[in-house]
Amino acid sequence: MSTRALRRLKGKQRGQEALDLGDLTLGDSSEEQLDSADVFPPSNRKDSSRKAKKNKAQKNISNIYELIGDADNEAENISPDEEVEKPDGNKTNCSEKNDVRESEEPDEKPEETSTKPLSGDRVKKKKKKKKTKVTTEDGQEAVPNDNIDLLLQNLEQSNGLSLQNEDCSGSDRRSVLHVEHRNLNPETELKRYFGARAVQGDQRSRQRNRQFHRSTWMTNPKESWPRFSRPGISMTLLQSKEGVQYFTFEHGRQYQQVQFKFLDAVESMDPNNIVALLQLNPYHIDSLLQLSDVCRIQEDQEMARDLIERAMYSFECACHPLFSLTSGNSRLDYLRTENRAFYLALYKHMMFLEKRGCPRTALEYCKLILSLDPDADPLCMLLLIDFLTLRSREYRYLLQLHEDLEVHRNLCLLPNFAFSTALCHFHLSQQEDVDPEESEKDKQKADQMLQKALIMFPGVLIPLLDLCTVQPDATVSSHAFFGPRSQIGQPPALAELTALYVGRTHSMWRETAVMFWLEATVKEVLRRVDAKDPLVDDCQNKKQRYKCAPRNIHRHVLLSEIKEATASLPPEATSQPVMGFDPLPPLDSVMSYSRPERQHIGAANESTLSLFFRSLLPNFNLQGGPRQEDDMEVARAGQELNQEVNRLMVAMRDMLANIRFQEPPREDNPYRDEEWD
């Protein structure tokens, strides 16, 4: 008979022969298990049944590593339950002694000898795990109450939070600035609205022929994009302080030369020069941002959005490995010129998402921009985040943000937070799945906050009703508190904030229930004003703080492009040219490299026509010789441009020479009109 048949007769399987690992054998049959159960005396019957169950679980196993894995899993499953039953640690030691006693009992059969090392290993693993857990529990219990403040301070330093108030905890601030990865993709929100089948379409059929692209969180590379190559931009870690990491973007030598060409193209005021530059450098950031604004002005929204996504893809490929989009602990200084394009790309992408109907995704990008510099807030995301929160119906988040930042940021002095938080409480009171008591509390809170907001900012009411196409009551429009005097008498900075809020969020107040609530609150406010409530005088005194708006608010108003707010900008913000790639740069900017000055040869002897062409084309040179530039490629481009201009001038001369004027009609002309005298 063959060895395979002999193994079958003996009840063994292949792979269960004795191994050269000492006395370890894994071949146990059911008959041997029964015999081993009968050998033990009645006092050890319980222990033998436990081993019989274990041997039964080891039956039909042909891989030693599978058995060891099962033993580890069994140890992991047993140890937590035993720890729950024995929190004091004394019973744990007793169980360990019992297990050691079982492992030390003399074995009467080779089957038990084979299981002995495994049980010993399992006991050692359980003992090691229990000891570590017990020591940690003892360590936590051994901390005295006097060191609680020290522990809280260490937690704040580990989280990297720069709170000015000592009472605020680090978890609240981190939850406010935390960004979810899945919400950065607009398809997640679109699938929630329309379903995955309608959003994906025929993308699955195209996945076979798609090219390989680096996986990113913010954008999905498109097949129509040019092949990606490193544009020469990178990110560097400057320092790490109290859990907060400070990064900055850097431009390489080649990227700096392209940046100089871009500035020349911008000064030419010709978008075709930017297009020509993008053909040679398809992932130059500032060119993509500037051309996106041109396409948006020309109402090519799809192309404008595509250019912004391409810029964001270039940025994300250049990010540092330690740079986190979601933790809220990564910082970028807006004062550095290289970092501003990242802010602007995120902001423009956020606005495209909001117009596309993805307010939840736009809210995540708003939190991301705020987390890059929460103290300075260079783009004033706090003036926009309330609107996106109302659009996405994340009312709890706005209330949590207001509660967390109110202490050291005084958000109640901003009209948008004063009105939007009241509106959040009102919407929460109107929800059906809320307890009546909670609903009543939210309604009372909403009434109080809206009354305080109307007393503090009375100039909001009439413009808000006008944009909502609602005619105010005669008692309201004729009252001195809400009349024209309230709008004329407010400071310019407050007028700018008021116009910005009304122009942006007036659509959120058009609901019928909201309008009835506003009407009832206005009547209550008029009653308090006529009764000379002391809150009215207190709010009037607080208006003296709005003397001059900071530069970041002007920058936010220019980026928002809201007519009502743009008209209220001061002359110092509108007198200088505004560039789409860097609107209102900070006065104390930090520049790592400077643009070389262009040398004009023979500028004093140039004619008017030459100066005219130079204003249109900065690289134009009438002398025809190479310009004194560091880059020889720029000089060759200037020569070719001069040749083209010379050809154009020759063509214009020929055209002027061939012009023939028509002679005036004579008296004997037969085609003369007889009606004229």
Side-chain angles (χ1 to χ4, degrees), residues 571-583:
E572 58 268 15
T574 57
S575 58
Q576 54 183 330
V578 179
M579 298 297 177
F581 63 94
D582 191 8

Side-chain angles (χ1 to χ4, degrees), residues 484-504:
R485 181 181 175 183
S486 62
Q487 303 178 24
I488 299 175
Q490 59 185 357
L494 181 58
E496 184 177 352
L497 294 174
T498 300
L500 179 66
Y501 175 74
V502 172
R504 173 175 285 159

Side-chain angles (χ1 to χ4, degrees), residues 326-396:
T326 59
S327 64
N329 296 331
S330 300
R331 301 288 185 264
L332 281 176
D333 191 2
Y334 193 81
L335 298 180
R336 294 181 177 270
T337 310
E338 296 86 349
N339 297 338
R340 296 173 195 166
F342 186 63
Y343 279 88
L344 296 173
L346 291 175
Y347 183 88
K348 295 177 185 294
H349 184 62
M350 174 190 63
M351 297 308 297
F352 279 122
L353 290 173
E354 192 272 329
K355 294 179 181 178
R356 190 181 176 185
C358 301
R360 184 67 182 85
T361 310
L363 176 61
E364 293 298 317
Y365 279 96
C366 185
K367 293 192 292 184
L368 174 59
I369 300 174
L370 182 60
S371 67
L372 295 178
D373 195 352
D375 297 329
D377 195 9
L379 298 185
C380 279
M381 289 294 100
L382 292 178
L383 299 179
L384 176 64
I385 193 170
D386 62 301
F387 171 68
L388 297 176
T389 306
L390 292 173
R391 283 286 313 273
S392 57
R393 299 180 180 179
E394 297 289 335
Y395 307 123
R396 297 292 183 186

Side-chain angles (χ1 to χ4, degrees), residues 461-676:
L461 181 62
I462 300 301
L464 180 63
L465 295 178
D466 291 341
L467 291 179
C468 293
T469 63
V470 175
Q471 184 67 27
D473 194 1
T475 57
V476 176
S477 58
S478 61
H479 200 281
F481 189 74
F482 289 115
R485 181 181 175 183
S486 62
Q487 303 178 24
I488 299 175
Q490 59 185 357
L494 181 58
E496 184 177 352
L497 294 174
T498 300
L500 179 66
Y501 175 74
V502 172
R504 173 175 285 159
T505 60
H506 65 274
S507 59
M508 309 303 299
W509 295 84
R510 287 182 176 178
E511 298 181 11
T512 306
V514 175
M515 194 59 62
F516 281 124
W517 169 59
L518 178 61
E519 181 182 1
T521 308
V522 168
K523 294 180 179 179
E524 181 64 23
V525 169
L526 290 179
R527 187 192 64 78
R528 296 179 63 178
V529 171
D530 295 337
K532 296 182 180 181
D533 195 315
L535 181 61
V536 179
D537 296 334
D538 186 19
C539 293
Q540 293 296 327
N541 296 330
K542 289 182 180 180
K543 290 183 180 180
Q544 303 301 326
R545 302 179 182 180
Y546 302 92
K547 295 181 179 179
C548 181
R551 194 175 180 85
N552 57 347
I553 293 182
H554 300 330
R555 187 183 301 117
H556 178 85
V557 171
L558 289 174
L559 290 174
S560 64
E561 298 181 353
I562 297 177
K563 299 178 181 179
E564 296 81 4
T566 307
S568 60
L569 285 173
E572 58 268 15
T574 57
S575 58
Q576 54 183 330
V578 179
M579 298 297 177
F581 63 94
D582 191 8
L584 286 183
L587 300 178
D588 52 348
S589 300
V590 178
M591 302 180 65
S592 59
Y593 63 94
S594 59
R595 179 185 178 188
E597 297 181 359
R598 293 179 300 169
Q599 299 180 1
H600 302 282
I601 303 176
N605 299 326
E606 291 182 354
S607 61
T608 306
L609 183 62
S610 177
L611 293 175
F612 171 72
F613 279 110
R614 183 176 295 279
S615 64
L616 296 178
L617 305 171
N619 293 327
F620 172 74
N621 186 11
L622 186 62
Q623 304 298 328
R627 300 181 60 186
Q628 298 179 359
E629 299 282 347
D630 295 336
D631 193 359
M632 299 303 297
E633 183 180 357
V634 177
R636 288 194 297 269
Q639 291 180 1
E640 296 176 358
L641 184 60
N642 292 334
Q643 294 177 2
E644 295 295 333
V645 172
N646 291 332
R647 294 194 190 99
L648 179 61
M649 295 179 65
V650 171
M652 292 178 62
R653 274 195 218 98
D654 296 337
M655 183 182 65
L656 293 175
N658 295 329
I659 291 178
R660 296 291 183 271
F661 296 95
Q662 185 178 2
E663 297 181 356
R666 300 179 180 178
E667 294 181 357
D668 55 349
N669 189 3
Y671 299 100
R672 184 171 62 87
D673 194 356
E674 298 296 338
E675 294 182 359
W676 293 91

